[in-house]
Amino acid sequence: MSDFLLSLKDVSLAFGGPPVLDRVSLSVSRGLRAALTGRNGEGKSTLMKVIAGMREPDTGEIVRAPGLKVAYVGQDVSALAGKSGGQSRKARLEEALLSQPDLLLLDEPTNHLDTETIDWLEAMLKRMRDSAVLLVTHDRRFLRRVATSIFDLDRGELAGWPCDYTTFVKRKADLLADEAVYWERKSKKLREEEAWIRRGVKARTTRNEGRVAALKKLRAEFAARRSRVGTATMRLDTAAPGGERVLKIENLSFAYPGGRPIVSGFTADVLRGERIGILGRNGAGKTTLLNLLTGRLAPDSGAVTLGTGVEMAFLDQLRGELKDDLTVGENIASDRDEVVVGGVRKHVYSYLADFLFPPERVRTPVKALSGGERARLMLAKLFLRPANLLVMDEPTNDLDIETLELLEEQLLAYRGTLLLVSHDREFLDNVVTSTFVLEGDGSVKCYPGGYSDYETQKAAAAKSAAAPAAANAPRKKQLDIRVRVKPLAEAKKKEFSCNPFAGL
């Protein structure tokens, strides 16, 4: 059986602007377990669809092994009847894995998955020895555990990095630093030569003609250069602080008709400045709990009381507040030219540039945006509402890692209170101060710290519970077996082997 599965050679694809894929080449063999990285809008999903045969490139060559079996799970997974988004995604992943593909393509596979299912997926992918896996993910912990090599898509060009993600991050930072120095030197040279040419060429010497030709070449090089898009500069404003107690939760209970209890007798206080993560299996009711706590859903019994002066902003995981037929700018400011940010008027183009939307993208209908761009737009819309209680349901879905890390910084600096549903374990560890966990039987338990702290405390509690049970378990009757040992000189000598299969 040949290891070769697929190759791309000089593949290019554009959508009216600069090429999304610019003479991209790659080779895929059995055993590959690689992540495709790049910023939102770079074309990662487009490249995955080209590899899957779902989109044809403008130019270039694609060679596939005879009988190649490809399974593709995209980032947009339609919900199945009665199932949550996470349950639907898991069903699609199971279907793809059971098909035993030669090449498995996964675009944001951890979106909406609970942490247990992410652990399951990690284990399944690591066991795939005879297949190749190429994935796009923003989940840094998942990426570090699964990917053994990286394909990085940057300004249309693809580079392969035969290393893990942590090593790639360091090497890519060094590369970008070297690139900045290179272009700074080129820029200085261009300024000097432009000043020289403006002074006028007094003699048509061979040397001057060569210098003019070099200047033209330098101008062309700058004209062809694709600059790296700047870093997002989003800023989260906090409304005036309210009272010390933000939420008073009293004996809260809720169940859907004919269903099991989602919450039963839950009582807690949420205090000003707390950053609370909400965990639970897919279908456990994390979004339902958020809706109960924010008054979007009425409980069967019990009550949730908002504290004094609470001003709330809510981020919906389905991005339902975005209107697909309206442009990016219209979704932010309707027919106005300006928005108010932190009490200061700002042009909508300038504001959206902070979220990495260039002017032409501001005029684009939302239905044409990538998943990551939609996520950034939703954050831009959310950040226009000063609030002292921020409620976020799966905010990390589809964000590129750079924007995700910036969001972390903003939430850490946020002076208000945060309620957060996320399955991103590293994001939870970095942001939250305590955790509500839906156990699945209606109980909600509170743990101090982030996800890793919760895992440690849960393991310690399970160990403590098992110790008394083991101590009280009926002891097996010990058999009194006495063996007469012969002196060594009388014993029959044996040969022992370190081969575990010896004697079988």
Side-chain angles (χ1 to χ4, degrees):
M1 180 172 61
S2 172
D3 286 340
F4 169 78
L5 296 178
L6 173 142
S7 70
L8 272 61
K9 184 177 180 182
D10 294 334
V11 165
S12 295
L13 180 63
F15 298 107
V20 175
L21 305 177
D22 191 2
R23 298 177 64 85
V24 163
S25 297
L26 67 84
S27 181
V28 177
S29 301
R30 294 186 190 276
L32 177 74
R33 205 162 68 231
L36 176 60
T37 61
R39 287 176 157 187
N40 289 144
E42 286 285 359
K44 301 186 296 295
S45 295
T46 299
L47 178 56
M48 294 280 274
K49 289 176 181 177
V50 168
I51 294 171
M54 300 167 62
R55 184 182 290 277
E56 289 296 319
D58 297 333
T59 60
E61 181 183 15
I62 302 177
V63 179
R64 295 180 172 87
L68 177 68
K69 189 173 184 181
V70 179
Y72 170 83
V73 181
Q75 58 178 289
D76 296 321
V77 174
S78 56
L80 301 174
K83 293 182 181 294
S84 69
Q87 291 168 327
S88 299
R89 183 169 292 277
K90 185 180 180 183
R92 302 296 189 201
L93 289 168
E94 288 175 335
E95 182 182 358
L97 290 166
L98 287 172
S99 69
Q100 296 183 321
D102 299 306
L103 175 57
L104 178 62
L105 303 173
L106 303 177
D107 196 350
E108 296 289 5
T110 65
N111 276 3
H112 307 293
L113 292 185
D114 58 44
T115 52
E116 290 186 12
T117 306
I118 294 174
D119 288 337
W120 162 81
L121 181 59
E122 285 178 0
M124 293 296 292
L125 295 180
K126 288 178 181 178
R127 286 202 292 265
M128 294 180 68
R129 304 294 185 188
D130 296 328
S131 305
V133 179
L134 183 60
L135 58 93
V136 174
T137 183
H138 68 272
D139 188 321
R140 292 158 292 180
R141 192 166 300 183
F142 179 78
L143 202 163
R144 288 189 185 98
R145 292 181 176 181
V146 172
T148 56
S149 58
I150 306 293
F151 288 117
D152 185 50
L153 188 60
D154 187 357
R155 290 162 283 181
E157 297 182 357
L158 189 72
W161 300 75
C163 60
D164 60 28
Y165 177 70
T166 302
T167 305
F168 158 74
V169 170
K170 295 176 182 176
R171 293 180 179 174
K172 182 64 184 288
D174 291 341
L175 180 69
L176 291 175
D178 291 342
E179 180 183 341
V181 171
Y182 171 83
W183 283 108
E184 178 56 34
R185 289 173 178 167
K186 286 273 188 180
S187 181
K188 181 180 178 182
K189 179 68 173 176
L190 179 62
R191 290 194 299 269
E192 291 172 348
E193 295 303 286
E194 292 286 8
W196 170 78
I197 200 74
R198 283 196 298 270
R199 289 196 297 269
V201 182
K202 296 182 179 179
R204 296 185 60 84
T205 64
T206 302
R207 179 186 175 189
N208 280 354
E209 288 176 355
R211 193 169 176 181
V212 170
L215 174 58
K216 289 180 179 179
K217 183 178 179 181
L218 192 57
R219 285 172 174 171
E221 190 175 355
F222 268 84
R225 175 192 177 196
R226 286 182 65 175
S227 297
R228 185 172 170 82
V229 178
T231 303
T233 54
M234 62 180 78
R235 191 186 66 162
L236 181 58
D237 287 326
T238 309
E244 180 67 23
R245 185 163 60 190
V246 177
L247 293 177
K248 182 177 178 61
I249 308 165
E250 299 176 281
N251 203 29
L252 190 68
S253 296
F254 179 82
Y256 289 105
R260 56 171 178 74
I262 302 295
V263 184
S264 181
F266 177 41
T267 297
D269 282 337
V270 176
L271 304 181
R272 186 175 64 206
E274 286 193 289
R275 297 193 298 270
I276 299 175
I278 298 177
L279 283 176
R281 292 182 176 179
N282 290 136
K286 299 180 292 298
T287 299
T288 299
L289 177 58
L290 274 190
N291 288 332
L292 289 166
L293 296 181
T294 56
R296 292 184 162 204
L297 186 64
D300 295 336
S301 61
V304 178
T305 307
L306 284 180
T308 305
V310 171
E311 295 184 44
M312 186 191 312
F314 196 105
L315 177 70
D316 173 18
Q317 67 164 303
L318 299 178
R319 321 296 192 229
E321 293 189 25
L322 299 180
K323 308 300 183 188
D324 282 354
D325 292 331
L326 298 181
T327 66
V328 169
E330 289 168 341
N331 267 274
I332 290 296
S334 187
D335 57 351
R336 302 187 304 275
D337 292 331
E338 294 181 327
V339 294
V340 178
V341 186
V344 178
R345 291 190 174 277
K346 195 169 187 177
H347 197 279
V348 65
Y349 277 53
S350 176
Y351 176 67
L352 286 168
D354 291 342
F355 292 82
L356 304 184
F357 288 100
E360 65 274 11
R361 214 59 178 156
V362 176
R363 299 186 290 269
T364 301
V366 165
K367 60 186 175 185
L369 299 183
S370 68
E373 288 174 315
R374 291 177 69 95
R376 284 206 315 272
L377 180 59
M378 195 66 205
L379 288 175
K381 194 174 180 71
L382 179 74
F383 285 10
L384 286 174
R385 310 170 194 160
N388 50 33
L389 174 58
L390 187 58
V391 184
M392 309 183 87
D393 195 356
E394 295 286 7
T396 67
N397 283 353
D398 302 317
L399 287 181
D400 61 47
I401 291 174
E402 187 172 310
T403 308
L404 175 59
E405 290 174 346
L406 178 61
L407 177 60
E408 284 180 357
E409 292 175 10
Q410 291 296 307
L411 293 178
L412 287 171
Y414 181 57
R415 299 188 304 276
T417 306
L418 175 67
L419 295 177
L420 168 70
V421 170
S422 178
H423 297 129
D424 189 318
R425 298 156 294 182
E426 192 154 332
F427 186 74
L428 288 168
D429 278 344
N430 293 343
V431 170
V432 305
T433 56
S434 56
T435 308
F436 289 167
V437 180
L438 287 91
E439 300 289 338
D441 57 359
S443 64
V444 180
K445 293 185 179 179
C446 305
Y447 296 84
Y451 178 77
S452 296
D453 298 307
Y454 153 68
E455 277 197 318
T456 301
Q457 294 169 74
K458 184 179 178 182
K463 186 176 180 180
S464 298
N472 296 328
R475 295 178 178 272
K476 293 183 179 180
K477 187 176 180 180
Q478 298 294 320
L479 297 178
D480 184 14
I481 302 176
R482 300 180 182 181
V483 180
R484 185 174 69 85
V485 181
K486 293 182 179 180
L488 183 61
E490 299 176 16
K492 184 179 180 181
K493 295 181 180 179
K494 291 186 177 180
E495 293 287 340
F496 289 90
S497 171
C498 62
N499 181 356
F501 302 102
L504 296 181

